[in-house]
Amino acid sequence: MPESQHRSASLPAARLPWHHTLVGKVVIFMLMGVLFAYVTGALSGFFMVERGAREQWLREAQVNAQIVSATIRRIYTSVAVKTDGTGQVTRIISQRPIGDEESVLETGFSPIDVLALASAQTRNNVWLFAKSSEGALTVVADALNTPSDSPANLTVDTWQTKADAADFYVGFASIGGEEHFISSLPIVTPDGQLLGVLVATIGQQEGLYQMRNDLISKAFIALLVVLVATALLVTILMRQLFTPVPVLIKSLTEIAKNQTADSTPYTDRNDEIGRMAKAIDALRKKVIEREHLLEVKDEALRFQHLAHHDELTKLPNRVQLNNALKTAVHSLLQGDVFNVMLFDLDHFKAVNDSLGHAAGDALLVEVSQRVQGLLTDDDLVARLGGDEFAIIQRVVRSATNEAKVLAEAIVSVLREPYQFHNQEINIGVSVGIATAPADGRNSHDLLRHADLALYAAKAKGRDRYMLYAAGMTMDSGIIEQR
């Protein structure tokens, strides 16, 4: 049996929730595509039906307004109408309210009779509203003579003020708590004062939207059927197609965990699955190479770090100090100022001799930590070897004052007792300081002058600091001022 076939048999399928598997994702993707296409088509059809219905409602409402206005003019011969550019009647002009007692005596028609004539032609109800003394529109009559315990109210959402009722309106309105699609024809005096409105409906909102609701219900049922059928079909097909995928996923998972000993299955196939398996196996080999290169790189970085840092205190060493000092010297061209400090520990040899190198090493580590706590982010402290240290201090305002403050802090902090295995250790420190550019413009001069100042501090009794002064020399370890 080939190795790949044996491997495929031994690898268990990855156990994932259905919607997280590749089959599940493909099914969901297909369903989303079907859903998107179906909804897009359904919405397009819905909007076309909706727009066509509204255009039909608009035309029917405008025709009803024409019918009502014609009926009013036949009964009330004293009224006139105003039309727009298309011939649509937009206002009825009358000297007095329509449907009052005087008009009934003149015409012999009650308002209900007149409205009934108009309703017979529109096949829907027609209302007459009159403007009350308070400015509200109250119902006078309706064609169906609908009995009601309370008068029907006319509410139009787009009417911000009562004056808006003086304009011709077509659209939805609430009459007696029921939504109707209406045409509202204002009745005004020759000077534009609103007397009332004639309202003709083409039907209630519920009835008008019944066809749309039926369409949505049928579309929803059809969508469910299509989605279920698509899900079943795609699931069957995808399971047949992606049977090797969980096994390959298992291989990739092992590669991600750096378990690269086993070869990838299905590499003997000649289809897309085989190409995927070959790619995964190539990735496995690359991972092996990468891990080897990372090990080499990590080792190189470790050696590079050791080359620039002290292994005991983790501080920069002499190499890194020299590089930083060269950079600082170069910054003198931009007007920067900095101090170079050299210091070593007083009585350190006695500690090593009496307590051993372990105590000395612990002392050096704590010294480095104490000094680092005194520096800013721009300063650098390095261990040069043994108990010798160096500092590059960036100057903000006054080189001398800032050097004194830092040196006094170093002397004070390192003078405090140390503890090693419940035994108290006391040491001191001597510090020599040189300032750039005043005491030198190159690394050699600055380090030499700081070293001279350090020896001067030791010659004056240790446990102190000294600033370099012109004329300092060193002769057999003794400093003299010329």
Side-chain angles (χ1 to χ4, degrees):
M1 178 181 293
E3 181 184 355
S4 61
Q5 293 180 1
H6 174 74
R7 171 69 178 147
S8 64
S10 63
L11 279 175
R15 295 184 179 275
L16 293 172
W18 178 84
H19 60 283
H20 285 168
T21 63
L22 186 58
V23 173
K25 290 180 181 295
V26 172
V27 171
I28 293 173
F29 176 77
M30 294 294 293
L31 291 180
M32 293 298 292
V34 172
L35 181 63
F36 176 77
Y38 193 92
V39 170
T40 301
L43 287 177
S44 299
F46 170 77
F47 286 126
M48 291 177 64
V49 171
E50 180 79 5
R51 184 176 63 180
R54 284 189 172 271
E55 290 177 353
Q56 179 183 351
W57 298 344
L58 178 64
R59 289 192 298 270
E60 188 174 346
Q62 290 174 340
V63 170
N64 284 357
Q66 298 285 63
I67 293 173
V68 172
S69 66
T71 303
I72 292 298
R73 291 178 65 187
R74 285 200 302 271
I75 304 300
Y76 304 102
T77 57
S78 61
V79 303
V81 296
K82 181 179 180 181
T83 61
D84 59 14
T86 64
Q88 174 66 51
V89 175
T90 57
R91 282 188 175 185
I92 294 178
I93 302 173
S94 176
Q95 293 288 349
R96 63 175 184 270
I98 293 176
D100 59 1
E101 294 181 358
E102 186 176 349
S103 64
V104 172
L105 294 175
E106 287 182 358
T107 61
F109 286 91
S110 68
I112 296 177
D113 296 334
V114 178
L115 297 178
L117 290 174
S119 176
Q121 298 179 68
T122 63
R123 296 193 295 267
N124 285 293
N125 203 0
V126 181
W127 292 265
L128 172 62
F129 291 87
K131 183 180 179 183
S132 66
S133 57
E134 292 81 11
L137 293 174
T138 59
V139 66
V140 176
D142 69 275
L144 302 181
N145 196 19
T146 305
S148 178
D149 296 335
S150 59
N153 295 321
L154 174 63
T155 303
V156 179
D157 292 338
T158 59
W159 288 356
Q160 301 297 324
T161 64
K162 295 175 182 178
D164 292 337
D167 296 325
F168 180 64
Y169 170 76
V170 175
F172 281 106
S174 176
I175 302 176
E178 297 179 342
E179 288 291 325
H180 291 260
F181 195 90
I182 66 164
S183 59
S184 174
L185 194 60
I187 304 171
V188 300
T189 62
D191 59 356
Q193 295 296 318
L194 181 66
L195 299 175
V197 293
L198 282 164
V199 176
T201 179
I202 67 170
Q204 293 187 23
Q205 185 182 45
E206 182 179 356
L208 293 174
Y209 279 115
Q210 185 62 44
M211 182 179 69
R212 184 197 66 177
N213 295 337
D214 292 343
L215 177 63
I216 292 175
S217 299
K218 294 177 180 178
F220 181 73
I221 294 173
L223 174 62
L224 289 179
V225 173
V226 171
L227 290 178
V228 171
T230 302
L232 292 174
L233 179 61
V234 173
T235 299
I236 294 172
L237 292 176
M238 292 301 101
R239 284 191 180 277
Q240 294 296 323
L241 179 62
F242 290 108
T243 298
V245 170
V247 179
L248 294 178
I249 291 175
K250 179 68 174 179
S251 296
L252 280 173
T253 303
E254 291 180 350
I255 292 173
K257 296 178 180 179
N258 287 330
Q259 299 174 2
T260 55
D262 297 325
S263 60
T264 307
Y266 299 110
T267 54
D268 57 336
R269 291 181 54 157
N270 296 321
D271 55 5
E272 288 81 357
I273 295 296
R275 296 177 63 182
M276 183 186 300
K278 291 182 178 69
I280 294 173
D281 197 58
L283 175 63
R284 180 182 65 86
K285 295 175 182 178
K286 290 294 183 182
V287 168
I288 295 174
E289 294 178 6
R290 182 182 66 87
E291 289 301 317
H292 177 69
L293 291 175
L294 286 177
E295 291 176 0
V296 174
K297 181 180 179 181
D298 289 342
E299 191 70 13
L301 289 176
R302 189 177 71 83
F303 283 117
Q304 183 180 9
H305 184 271
L306 290 176
H308 292 83
H309 290 80
D310 175 54
E311 189 172 4
L312 175 63
T313 62
K314 311 306 178 186
L315 294 178
N317 59 12
R318 187 183 296 272
V319 174
Q320 190 169 346
L321 173 72
N322 290 333
N323 293 336
L325 192 55
K326 290 179 182 178
T327 302
V329 168
H330 185 71
S331 69
L332 294 175
L333 299 175
Q334 283 76 44
D336 290 349
V337 179
F338 63 91
N339 295 318
V340 175
M341 298 184 182
L342 295 179
F343 65 92
D344 59 19
L345 307 180
D346 300 332
H347 314 301
F348 177 74
K349 185 176 184 301
V351 173
N352 262 343
D353 293 342
S354 60
L355 300 179
H357 291 289
D361 290 347
L363 182 62
L364 290 173
V365 171
E366 186 166 349
V367 165
S368 67
Q369 293 173 350
R370 291 187 185 185
V371 172
Q372 287 183 89
L374 302 175
L375 304 181
T376 67
D377 293 339
D378 295 330
D379 300 335
L380 173 73
V381 58
R383 182 188 177 201
L384 304 183
D387 63 332
E388 299 180 14
F389 296 83
I391 293 176
I392 299 176
Q393 180 192 27
R394 293 289 181 175
V395 174
V396 179
R397 292 184 177 86
S398 171
T400 300
N401 291 339
E402 292 176 26
K404 289 180 179 180
V405 170
L406 178 58
E408 288 175 356
I410 292 173
V411 172
S412 176
V413 166
L414 298 188
R415 184 188 295 142
E416 296 176 0
Y418 301 80
Q419 296 294 328
F420 180 75
H421 292 174
N422 298 323
Q423 185 170 355
E424 185 175 289
I425 301 174
N426 292 283
I427 61 170
V429 64
S430 300
V431 184
I433 305 168
T435 297
D439 298 332
R441 289 183 169 273
N442 58 66
S443 302
H444 177 267
D445 289 343
L446 290 170
L447 290 173
R448 184 169 62 85
H449 292 162
D451 197 36
L452 289 172
L454 172 62
Y455 272 89
K458 288 182 176 293
K460 285 186 175 294
R462 303 176 184 270
D463 197 28
R464 68 187 65 239
Y465 68 89
M466 290 288 291
L467 282 84
Y468 172 76
M472 281 185 176
T473 62
M474 181 170 57
D475 184 13
S476 299
I478 299 176
I479 302 298
E480 61 179 4
Q481 290 288 120
R482 291 184 177 177

